[in-house]
Amino acid sequence: MQININVNGTDHSLDVEPRRLLVDAIRGDLGLRGTHIGCDTTSCGACTVLVDGTPIKSCTMFAVQADGSAVTTVEGLKGADGLSAVQQGFSAEHGLQCGFCTPGMMLVSTALLEENPDPSEDDIRWAISGNICRCTGYVNIVKAVQWAAAAARNGGEEG
């Protein structure tokens, strides 16, 4: 089946089987390896991407369901001016260790900040609750999102 999707600002026309998962199309057909495959059951969130701005676990979404959509992967967060505020926050606040969950966490956090530019700690914890991190204990991930929110409010400068 022929699908057309825009991934990270670039239009792609892909020939996929109807049963092909979005995560497999992103990784295999487009070569974007930042989207990770963890559990294949939506439990871990490592495969999270943004589909038309909404966080979606791509391990249980068929690629054909994304036909006509705009998909953002972690590779698409970096802009012409450099790393996004969320990416900078994860670096500044040490919001990652092994890095496996990081792409999904960053995409969920990006969607949260688009919807709520000044989230409380509870808002952040709720937003990332569908993503599992086995390394950090979440404290620095929350701090990273708070850093990014502050940076956005202050015109790109944290604090």
Side-chain angles (χ1 to χ4, degrees):
M1 189 172 179
Q2 193 75 24
I3 65 167
N4 296 300
I5 58 175
N6 180 293
V7 180
N8 301 330
T10 302
D11 291 327
H12 297 275
S13 183
L14 302 174
D15 188 24
V16 297
E17 290 184 36
R19 65 182 178 171
R20 187 157 179 82
L21 295 173
L22 180 58
V23 69
D24 294 325
I26 290 168
R27 291 178 58 83
D29 299 335
L30 300 177
L32 298 171
R33 305 290 184 176
T35 304
H36 295 153
I37 300 170
C39 66
D40 289 327
T41 63
T42 74
S43 296
C44 75
C47 68
T48 301
V49 296
L50 302 180
V51 177
D52 297 326
T54 300
I56 300 292
K57 293 178 181 178
S58 63
C59 73
T60 56
M61 180 179 189
F62 294 115
V64 296
Q65 292 174 289
D67 186 27
S69 295
V71 176
T72 304
T73 69
V74 70
E75 292 91 346
L77 292 181
K78 183 178 177 184
D81 297 337
L83 297 178
S84 73
V86 169
Q87 290 172 311
Q88 291 176 46
F90 271 71
S91 176
E93 294 296 333
H94 310 285
L96 64 137
Q97 286 182 22
C98 83
F100 194 78
C101 72
T102 305
M105 290 285 189
M106 286 183 174
L107 288 156
V108 167
S109 299
T110 297
L112 168 66
L113 294 177
E114 281 292 317
E115 187 176 304
N116 179 357
D118 191 16
S120 68
E121 180 176 339
D122 285 343
D123 294 334
I124 296 167
R125 288 186 178 277
W126 176 253
I128 66 172
S129 67
N131 294 60
I132 296 174
C133 176
R134 293 189 173 129
C135 300
T136 67
Y138 302 96
V139 172
N140 288 348
I141 293 171
V142 171
K143 287 181 182 178
V145 179
Q146 290 170 327
W147 188 100
R153 286 192 306 273
N154 296 323
E157 298 295 323
E158 192 279 327

